[in-house]
Amino acid sequence: MTEPLVSRMRAFGTTIFAEMSALAVQTGAINLGQGFPDTDGPAAMLDRAVQAIGAGANQYPPGPGVLELRQAVSEHRAAHYGLTYDPVGEVLVTVGATEAVAASVLALCEPGDEVIAFEPYYDSYAASIALAQAKLVAVTLRPVEGRFTFDPDELRAAVTPRTRAILVNSPHNPTGTVFTRDELTVIAELCQERGLIAITDEVYEHLTFDGVEHVPMATLPGMRERTVMISSAGKTFSVTGWKTGWVCAPPALVTAVQTVKQFLTFTASAPWQLAVAYGLRHEMEWVAALGAGLQDKRDRLMEGLSAAGFSVLRPAGTYFVQTDIRPLGFTDGLELTRRLPELAGVVAIPTQVFYDHAERGRHFVRFAFCKKEEVIDEAVARLKRLSS
């Protein structure tokens, strides 16, 4: 029997998140790898989901999503960014941001088209691009003065006649960088000069620190009409298991994405949609408190990792801290993270798996701080064994 998996997907095995989370379960290690909180979202929003189930919202919602959620997303975009999206025709509800990215790439890219993404990149990007039979072109983010950024000339050089889109993730997982307005302007000008679409993954939009501003690409001059803006409830409200996301874009782009999305999942869970609509309208103060608490946890973990001997880069957003393992005498993050449960009773993620050029990220390891303070403290105490 020939290999059953199609050739374009053979490079994609079990995700690193599944591998490392399974390792945590097998060894009893503390899981600072996968980015999910260990506390729940706002109680009133959770209650709304329960109420929706009890009230009978248990059948297929409309394909574009429950109108109440689409209206709430539209209101949110207007209130926070001054962006106006018609809830009928310019907002589409998806099964999380991962589906939104996949449906967007599948809808907008022909076989052989190129999609630029900034490495290290979230692993689903490469898989989505491969499913579309397109080609991922990686532009590397490198540490400069303590934060990851890109070389504008390298980005420009990556564009070819086959380039269709630039996939922009800010706040950025896994580096924790938040692209500045100047950096986004470079991308925006290139999109307009070369007729490219911007697909923007903004799931950490409300989780930025130290007063750093999140600037949506669609707010820049000339970009609303060529941007597919993606976000979700999972990170904003600490309900990653709800898998409720959305796309905001001009009608032609939303129609294209929905044409594909309807044959992936058709629609998404109605109770969660109704609850998220409530959250967007009534729980943004809770979200602000979440961001402040995460900043404290970030500082707590950074201090502990530095004391344990890691070189730590300060993230401006997301759930994650990047560390350089070389001061501890290690050079291969994948090898270290597979041994880390034995060495220190902790699980982390090797950043190199998110690079096309793995050697550029071999010495980085990612730790998540979206955990309870006592979990962070215990993990840090264990990690100090590495330098003892």
Side-chain angles (χ1 to χ4, degrees):
M1 182 177 176
T2 60
E3 167 63 54
L5 183 63
V6 293
S7 59
R8 63 183 176 275
M9 293 303 292
R10 289 176 192 167
F12 303 94
T14 302
T15 72
I16 194 66
F17 304 110
E19 178 185 346
M20 291 301 168
S21 289
L23 190 59
V25 171
Q26 292 165 11
T27 62
I30 294 174
N31 190 352
L32 297 189
Q34 195 166 1
F36 59 87
D38 54 7
T39 54
D40 274 333
M45 190 183 81
L46 304 183
D47 288 343
R48 290 288 168 143
V50 174
Q51 292 168 19
I53 292 170
N58 301 305
Q59 307 308 325
Y60 294 128
V66 173
L67 180 57
E68 186 173 343
L69 176 54
R70 286 182 279 139
Q71 290 171 332
V73 169
S74 177
E75 294 162 9
H76 176 274
R77 270 27 196 162
H80 288 269
Y81 308 123
L83 289 167
T84 301
Y85 289 100
D86 186 343
V88 179
E90 293 190 314
V91 181
L92 170 67
V93 179
T94 60
V95 182
T98 301
E99 186 197 35
V101 170
S104 298
V105 171
L106 288 165
L108 301 172
C109 295
E110 298 283 1
D113 282 351
E114 295 174 354
V115 179
I116 293 173
F118 295 94
E119 67 173 0
Y121 49 75
Y122 186 61
D123 63 348
S124 81
Y125 297 170
S128 297
I129 293 166
L131 284 168
Q133 300 184 62
K135 177 184 177 183
L136 189 154
V137 176
V139 172
T140 305
L141 299 176
R142 297 179 177 86
V144 177
E145 297 180 353
R147 65 181 293 273
F148 285 83
T149 187
F150 62 90
D151 181 338
D153 291 335
E154 185 177 345
L155 174 61
R156 293 187 188 98
V159 178
T160 76
R162 296 295 308 183
T163 305
R164 173 63 169 160
I166 302 180
L167 213 171
V168 182
N169 175 210
S170 180
H172 184 267
N173 174 15
T175 67
T177 205
V178 178
F179 287 159
T180 65
R181 188 176 294 273
D182 287 345
E183 289 168 335
L184 292 168
T185 297
V186 169
I187 300 169
E189 290 175 349
L190 189 57
C191 286
Q192 293 174 76
E193 289 167 9
R194 305 299 293 272
L196 309 179
I197 295 169
I199 302 172
T200 63
D201 178 350
E202 304 178 36
V203 297
Y204 293 98
E205 59 184 314
H206 293 294
L207 304 183
T208 62
F209 314 126
D210 305 319
V212 171
E213 178 189 22
H214 167 61
V215 179
M217 179 73 74
T219 63
L220 299 183
M223 287 307 294
R224 184 193 182 280
E225 58 265 35
R226 61 175 63 251
T227 299
V228 177
M229 185 183 193
I230 295 169
S231 194
S232 81
K235 304 303 190 298
T236 297
F237 296 110
S238 295
V239 287
T240 58
W242 284 16
K243 298 297 293 178
T244 302
W246 46 83
V247 167
C248 296
L253 292 175
V254 165
T255 298
V257 177
Q258 186 179 347
T259 300
V260 169
K261 183 260 189 299
Q262 68 185 334
F263 297 112
L264 297 176
T265 58
F266 175 57
T267 190
S269 303
W272 313 148
Q273 291 192 44
L274 291 167
V276 171
Y278 173 86
L280 288 171
R281 287 171 168 158
H282 301 287
E283 296 291 354
M284 295 311 295
E285 287 186 9
W286 184 95
V287 174
L290 171 67
L294 282 169
Q295 179 172 314
D296 291 342
K297 291 179 179 182
R298 176 205 62 176
D299 295 345
R300 193 184 199 102
L301 180 59
M302 286 179 59
E303 181 180 350
L305 290 170
S306 296
F310 293 88
S311 176
V312 182
L313 290 104
R314 186 181 190 85
T318 76
Y319 285 165
F320 309 110
V321 169
Q322 282 292 335
T323 63
D324 188 328
I325 61 176
R326 290 174 294 186
L328 286 164
F330 300 100
T331 58
D332 188 320
L334 182 59
E335 178 185 351
L336 174 60
T337 53
R338 285 175 170 161
R339 294 180 58 206
L340 205 54
E342 168 198 346
L343 295 173
V346 175
V347 161
I349 296 292
T351 311
Q352 69 201 70
V353 301
F354 305 128
Y355 286 78
D356 279 8
H357 308 90
E359 70 281 358
R360 298 178 184 175
R362 197 175 305 280
H363 53 284
F364 294 122
V365 168
R366 190 194 82 173
F367 292 89
F369 53 83
C370 52
K371 309 295 180 181
K372 295 175 182 175
E373 288 86 350
E374 57 267 29
V375 173
I376 293 173
D377 291 346
E378 176 59 26
V380 165
R382 295 182 182 190
L383 288 166
K384 288 179 180 177
R385 301 174 193 168
L386 295 173
S387 56
S388 61

